[in-house]
Amino acid sequence: MEKKFVLTVMLVIVLYTVLPWILTRMFGIGVFRRGSGAREIAFTFDDGPDPVYTPQLLELLGKYGVKGTFFVLGSKAEAHPELILRIHQEGHLIGVHNYNHRSNWLMLPWSVSRRQVERSAGIIESITGVRPVYYRPPWGIINLCDYLLRKRYTIVLWSVMVQDWRSNVGKERMKSVLLKQIREGSIVLLHDSGDTFGADKDAPGHMLQALEEVFGELSPQSYRYVRIDELTVSPSVVRFTKRMLVKVWMCWERSFVKVMQVKPVDAANTLLQLRITEYRGKQAILLTDGEQIQQGDRIAELHLDNNLLYRLGATSSSSVHLAIQLVRRTELLMPQIIRLLQTDPAYKDVKGLYGISIIHRGTKKLGFTVLDLPKGAFSFATRLYLRFLLYMVHPQGKERLKLKSELLVPKIIAISRKELMSRYIAQP
């Protein structure tokens, strides 16, 4: 039991930290890190505003007619509102870089969203009258739950980094790297403050010297220096990102099915998959037929074949069409589930079917009881996962997440063995 607990904790940590790092830093999934417009460059500046270096940077940007993007810390914006106002009035874009310069891996989801991002956005809005919609987490590190922030913020990383927070890199090295790596659509990461963890206090001075020389050498090439909100994003880039996300996700799905021993009810119609396990919920589930599923009862846990679900979603003309296909396939599988209950020794003491799903409309007609999930961390994590799944497989996933968010609540769906037997007759 102790080993299983340790493995569960390790899996949670990997999902919360390592998986988002792979998706964002290796594949660029869910984040914006490069534009596609001809001759466009976006210079971005983190960790400010700084009372010494930010005014010097603004003078330099004004001299060369460059519009930049500043990802500021809420605590510093609070301490230096005059600099925030100046950045805004001079036509630069302001984004959020958390309230404190702290890694999102070391914070709980609500701490990042409410205490770091929303608090900082509120401070900036109170100064400029404009609420930020762009967000860059410290060190470019996000946790799994930060994907929920994408409803309100675009998460921005970078394509060019010169380690300008270190003094020993020096002006010449910074300049050389910038000139070699800058391309059309580049998002350049720089820092106008050196007082965060791991940075040198005098490093921004070297950055300013290097940047002035870079501006002098790039200008004849007619690059356009634009804010993040002015960078062109190609629709093909968006499609490529989703394709990569699908590949990574399906790889994860295959691993999950194998490790958890999830098996399809029918090899020819794999929509419904089952896993024999014990019900671990603290609260008993009271079903409409009077039966109860209590902690420790053996159940057949319901899972959907997400690979098939994705294919159905991609070929469905609408959400209604997709829902009809799911209901029809489920109805066809019910007699086979009964056959398993009657003939398979592994199912002899299974009390019923149990699952959690956003796609629960119409399940009552099939005999299922539909119940709310108890509030808490599990409910929050489940909602995040299922919303992500809906985005992946639904024909209008992204739009549906925006327009129907109040309806996207995961529910418990369960049906007793007795109800199954009374409703469906197994075919010989």
Side-chain angles (χ1 to χ4, degrees):
M1 190 69 179
E2 183 178 342
K3 183 179 179 181
K4 190 173 183 179
F5 174 76
V6 171
L7 289 174
T8 301
V9 171
M10 290 177 63
L11 178 61
V12 170
I13 291 173
V14 168
L15 287 175
Y16 193 70
T17 60
V18 179
L19 180 61
W21 189 89
I22 293 173
L23 294 176
T24 57
R25 301 296 287 275
M26 295 179 65
F27 298 104
I29 294 170
V31 297
F32 182 31
R33 61 180 188 180
R34 191 177 190 88
S36 60
R39 317 304 292 175
E40 294 177 347
I41 305 173
F43 285 95
T44 67
F45 306 93
D46 290 6
D47 297 356
D50 184 276
V52 175
Y53 293 112
T54 302
Q56 295 179 45
L57 174 59
L58 290 171
E59 291 293 333
L60 177 61
L61 296 177
K63 176 181 176 180
Y64 287 91
V66 176
K67 298 303 179 187
T69 302
F70 289 74
F71 290 98
V72 305
L73 295 170
S75 58
K76 291 186 177 182
E78 208 169 31
H80 304 289
E82 74 287 352
L83 288 177
I84 295 296
L85 188 59
R86 179 181 172 184
I87 292 170
H88 174 68
Q89 290 177 338
E90 293 186 10
H92 305 289
L93 181 66
I94 300 176
V96 174
H97 196 50
N98 278 1
Y99 184 81
N100 304 114
H101 202 276
R102 188 180 304 161
S103 171
N104 290 14
W105 283 3
L106 303 178
M107 293 185 286
L108 295 171
W110 46 88
S111 294
V112 176
S113 177
R114 298 175 188 173
R115 300 176 189 174
Q116 296 291 329
V117 181
E118 293 295 343
R119 182 182 181 185
S120 299
I123 292 168
I124 295 166
E125 184 180 21
S126 69
I127 298 169
T128 66
V130 178
R131 194 171 186 85
V133 294
Y134 291 89
Y135 172 57
R136 174 179 286 162
W139 297 290
I141 292 174
I142 71 170
N143 62 57
L144 184 63
C145 297
D146 288 342
Y147 275 106
L148 284 178
L149 292 169
R150 295 179 67 244
K151 293 189 296 180
R152 302 182 300 279
Y153 302 92
T154 298
I155 301 175
V156 181
L157 296 187
W158 56 84
S159 58
V160 177
M161 177 177 66
V162 296
Q163 298 185 337
D164 64 311
W165 60 87
R166 297 166 53 195
S167 295
N168 60 7
V169 173
K171 179 194 75 170
E172 293 302 325
R173 174 65 177 163
M174 289 184 200
K175 174 186 172 182
S176 174
V177 174
L178 285 171
L179 291 175
K180 286 180 180 178
Q181 293 189 5
I182 284 176
R183 300 286 185 273
E184 293 180 348
S186 289
I187 297 177
V188 182
L189 168 64
L190 298 169
H191 299 78
D192 59 327
S193 179
D195 60 1
T196 55
F197 177 75
D200 297 321
K201 288 188 178 295
D202 62 339
H206 300 289
M207 181 275 292
L208 289 170
Q209 295 173 17
L211 189 59
E212 180 159 21
E213 294 189 13
V214 167
F215 285 157
E217 294 193 28
L218 288 180
S219 293
Q221 301 176 30
S222 301
Y223 277 111
R224 290 182 58 239
Y225 305 121
V226 299
R227 308 180 342 167
I228 285 294
D229 59 343
E230 297 170 330
L231 266 181
T232 304
V233 183
S234 169
S236 62
V237 172
V238 177
R239 290 193 295 270
F240 173 77
T241 298
K242 186 161 184 177
R243 285 199 302 270
M244 290 300 300
L245 186 56
V246 168
K247 289 182 180 179
V248 172
W249 191 252
M250 290 310 168
C251 181
W252 159 255
E253 284 290 323
R254 288 192 293 272
S255 301
F256 174 83
V257 167
K258 186 173 182 180
V259 171
M260 303 304 289
Q261 297 183 330
V262 180
K263 299 179 179 179
V265 174
D266 182 352
N269 178 7
T270 60
L271 178 66
L272 291 186
Q273 302 180 330
L274 298 176
R275 180 174 78 101
I276 305 300
T277 185
E278 290 185 357
Y279 175 63
R280 296 183 177 85
K282 294 181 179 180
Q283 298 180 11
I285 300 174
L286 179 61
L287 304 176
T288 52
D289 63 352
E291 291 285 295
Q292 283 193 10
I293 296 177
Q294 300 179 346
Q295 191 176 49
D297 285 343
R298 282 173 61 78
I299 56 170
E301 191 176 74
L302 281 166
H303 295 269
L304 294 177
D305 178 355
N306 290 328
N307 192 16
L308 174 60
L309 193 59
Y310 173 74
R311 295 200 304 270
L312 292 175
T315 57
S316 296
S317 58
S318 68
S319 57
V320 174
H321 184 207
L322 175 60
I324 291 172
Q325 291 192 75
L326 297 181
V327 171
R328 286 177 177 172
R329 283 175 177 262
T330 301
E331 285 180 321
L332 291 173
L333 288 170
M334 284 304 185
Q336 291 172 263
I337 291 174
I338 291 181
R339 188 178 297 114
L340 286 174
L341 295 175
Q342 291 175 329
T343 63
D344 193 324
Y347 288 80
K348 66 179 181 179
D349 56 352
V350 163
K351 201 163 185 179
L353 306 184
Y354 167 89
I356 300 172
S357 180
I358 283 179
I359 309 172
H360 45 72
R361 287 186 175 184
T363 54
K364 287 184 179 180
K365 294 180 181 179
L366 299 176
F368 284 87
T369 299
V370 180
L371 299 168
D372 292 332
L373 269 174
K375 292 182 179 180
F378 177 75
S379 176
F380 176 84
T382 301
R383 181 171 183 171
L384 174 66
Y385 165 76
L386 293 175
R387 285 172 62 88
F388 174 79
L389 178 61
L390 184 68
Y391 166 74
M392 294 296 300
V393 305
H394 198 280
Q396 296 91 31
K398 186 174 182 180
E399 290 73 18
R400 185 170 174 82
L401 286 176
K402 291 179 179 179
L403 299 176
K404 301 287 185 179
S405 59
E406 73 283 358
L407 301 177
L408 303 180
V409 179
K411 301 274 189 179
I412 294 171
I413 57 172
I415 186 170
S416 71
R417 185 188 193 101
K418 183 178 72 174
E419 182 71 19
L420 280 166
M421 295 297 184
S422 66
R423 279 180 173 260
Y424 304 97
I425 302 175
Q427 300 298 318

